[in-house]
Amino acid sequence: MAVPLFAIMIVLLLIGFPMMIPLIAGATFGFYSMFGGFGQMETMIQQIMAGIRPASLIAVPMFIFAADIMTRGQSAGRLIDMVMSFVGHLKGGLAVSTAAACTMFGAVSGSTQATVVAIGSPLRPRMLKAGYSDSFVLALIVNSSDIAFLIPPSIGMIIYGVVSGTSIAELFIAGIGPGLLILVLFSIYSWIYAVRMGVPTEPKTPWTDRARAVRNALWPLGFPAIIIGGIYGGIFSPTEAAAVCVLYALILEVVVFRSLDLAGVYRTAKSTGLITAVVFILVGAGAAFSWVISFAQVPQAVLSGIGIDDMGPIAILFVISIAFFIGCMFVDPIVVILILVPIFAPVVESAGIDPVLVGTLITLQVAIGSATPPFGCDIFTAIAVFKRPYWEVIRGTPPFIIILLSVSVALIFFPQIALFLRDLAFR
């Protein structure tokens, strides 16, 4: 059954159907094959509903809504101005500012696509004017936005936590270490690039202007304070933190900054509703598809074929990393998490590997795959936002991909990069 099932999905993808159609078609074919007809289709509906039932998933549309409000408002611009005021005058400072701004906006949005739009749109023209090549600029923006997948709140970690039953709060704090490490390595590479290409530096910002930029950014900086401080202070859960973020974003952009009116809030809510509908259809269809392949024991056949049961923890982590990295090069990250996590979960449990470490590693691989050719979703977001051809967007990505893969390897051999803060907070 496995061969025709995956063949149907691949054909539908190649024809051009959106990912939800191959998933639903694959699940439907699986149920038809296993039960000899459509008599058990109610089981498929039950699995779809079970996939979107977990209460933790409520955080996903809320974080998307909060990110959309901030993208349309002034929060992103204020964060950019603050970062630029401190590092913009250094060699490669504009590139470092872009990476840092992506990290900070990721800490208030949790969405890679929102980060590409909010940070890339204003900073790309400034970097081009400063002398950076467009291929470097596009690659920097696309790959720096991936840090948003690791820095809390992370939509990818929420989905992983729901599917695997792992603590979302622990996943959130475990992503901070790898995210900051990636920022440092991207900054070093940006400095090397600027020196090698002779990119001129910008004027140094006076301390009075820096102080003004910090004051202007204090309100947006409240988001990570709410999320991290609220969750780890025991004030509210990650789902409740998402709700508070929406309220805070509305107060900030509508009342304080007055950058959005009620009509703008309505348009933002409508956009969020459309995105959320797509996400939840993917989640429900992915749950049904995962049930089919699990019931048919496809994972057991695949994993036994590669001999994963005889591998040690490090080898298992490498196999998981490779599987997720390749999967996200072709398919939406949420779908890859929904399909592959149930496959590897029994192996991870039997090997005694910390599920938080696995979740952090998977989230990193998902982030890398999202910016990796041929079909990384962030690549197509950049193509749509910046109106640049495919080859120009991906031309500068190899150095960044190498850096991200190096962090993945470091995470496997030195798990405390992710687990140190988790252990500090929860152990």
Side-chain angles (χ1 to χ4, degrees):
M1 183 190 78
V3 174
L5 186 151
F6 285 106
I8 289 171
M9 295 181 65
I10 292 171
V11 169
L12 290 174
L13 275 175
L14 293 176
I15 291 173
F17 283 99
M19 190 62 217
M20 66 185 74
I21 302 300
L23 268 180
I24 295 172
T28 304
F29 174 80
F31 275 93
Y32 181 87
S33 301
M34 288 188 298
F35 298 110
F38 294 109
Q40 296 293 325
M41 280 297 106
E42 68 272 11
T43 305
M44 176 175 165
I45 303 302
Q46 289 170 0
Q47 294 302 317
I48 291 175
M49 297 306 296
I52 62 175
R53 190 174 295 134
S56 300
L57 285 176
I58 297 173
V60 173
M62 290 184 181
F63 279 128
I64 292 173
F65 190 27
D68 208 354
I69 292 171
M70 291 181 287
T71 302
R72 296 167 185 259
Q74 296 182 16
S75 295
R78 290 172 180 247
L79 290 174
I80 291 171
D81 291 341
M82 185 190 72
V83 175
M84 281 290 299
S85 67
F86 283 94
V87 299
H89 65 283
L90 303 175
K91 197 68 175 178
L94 194 53
V96 174
S97 298
T98 301
C102 286
T103 303
M104 295 185 70
F105 192 76
V108 300
S109 71
S111 169
T112 57
Q113 285 91 342
T115 305
V116 169
V117 175
I119 305 302
S121 297
L123 281 183
R124 177 172 167 264
R126 293 179 66 172
M127 292 188 69
L128 294 176
K129 186 177 180 180
Y132 293 91
S133 69
D134 204 10
S135 59
F136 172 83
V137 173
L138 293 170
L140 175 67
I141 292 169
V142 168
N143 287 278
S144 295
S145 69
D146 291 341
I147 303 175
F149 248 116
L150 290 164
I151 299 291
S154 165
I155 293 174
M157 285 184 170
I158 294 172
I159 301 295
Y160 171 84
V162 169
V163 175
S164 65
T166 306
S167 167
I168 295 174
E170 292 189 29
L171 288 167
F172 275 4
I173 198 167
I176 295 175
L180 293 178
L181 177 59
I182 293 169
L183 171 61
V184 170
L185 294 177
F186 279 5
S187 299
I188 293 172
Y189 173 66
S190 298
W191 176 81
I192 294 172
Y193 177 90
V195 171
R196 184 164 55 87
M197 302 301 293
V199 178
T201 58
E202 299 214 345
K204 188 173 182 178
T205 304
W207 279 102
T208 53
D209 292 342
R210 290 179 179 178
R212 186 183 307 110
V214 171
R215 286 197 303 270
N216 291 339
L218 285 178
W219 284 103
L221 289 174
F223 283 98
I226 289 172
I227 295 166
I228 298 174
I231 293 174
Y232 305 116
I235 301 173
F236 38 64
S237 68
T239 303
E240 292 166 342
V244 174
C245 277
V246 171
L247 177 62
Y248 187 74
L250 286 171
I251 293 173
L252 209 59
E253 301 297 350
V254 176
V255 179
V256 179
F257 298 156
R258 297 185 180 180
S259 56
L260 281 180
D261 55 15
L262 292 180
V265 173
Y266 171 77
R267 288 191 297 271
T268 305
K270 184 178 178 180
S271 171
T272 300
L274 293 173
I275 296 171
T276 302
V278 173
V279 170
F280 274 66
I281 291 172
L282 287 173
V283 170
F289 183 80
S290 297
W291 187 91
V292 167
I293 61 174
S294 297
F295 189 85
Q297 295 190 330
V298 174
Q300 291 85 337
V302 173
L303 295 179
S304 63
I306 62 176
I308 198 170
D309 292 331
D310 300 323
M311 295 180 181
I314 289 179
I316 291 173
L317 290 175
F318 268 108
V319 171
I320 292 173
S321 298
I322 293 169
F324 277 87
F325 173 67
I326 295 175
C328 289
M329 289 168 60
F330 298 93
V331 183
D332 186 275
I334 292 175
V335 176
V336 177
I337 293 173
L338 291 168
I339 293 176
L340 293 186
V341 167
I343 292 176
F344 287 107
V347 178
V348 169
E349 185 177 356
S350 64
I353 305 173
D354 193 321
V356 174
L357 172 63
V358 175
T360 307
L361 186 64
I362 285 175
T363 305
L364 176 55
Q365 296 305 320
V366 165
I368 300 171
S370 300
T372 303
F375 302 121
C377 61
D378 288 345
I379 294 173
F380 294 99
T381 301
I383 291 171
V385 171
F386 304 124
K387 305 293 190 298
R388 304 307 303 164
Y390 177 85
W391 291 109
E392 188 170 341
V393 173
I394 69 170
R395 189 185 306 153
T397 57
F400 294 98
I401 300 299
I402 291 171
I403 291 172
L404 290 167
L405 292 175
S406 300
V407 174
S408 299
V409 174
L411 198 56
I412 292 174
F413 287 103
F414 305 100
Q416 286 304 112
I417 295 173
L419 299 182
F420 174 75
L421 289 177
R422 191 284 306 267
D423 293 343
L424 204 62
F426 293 96
R427 296 292 186 268

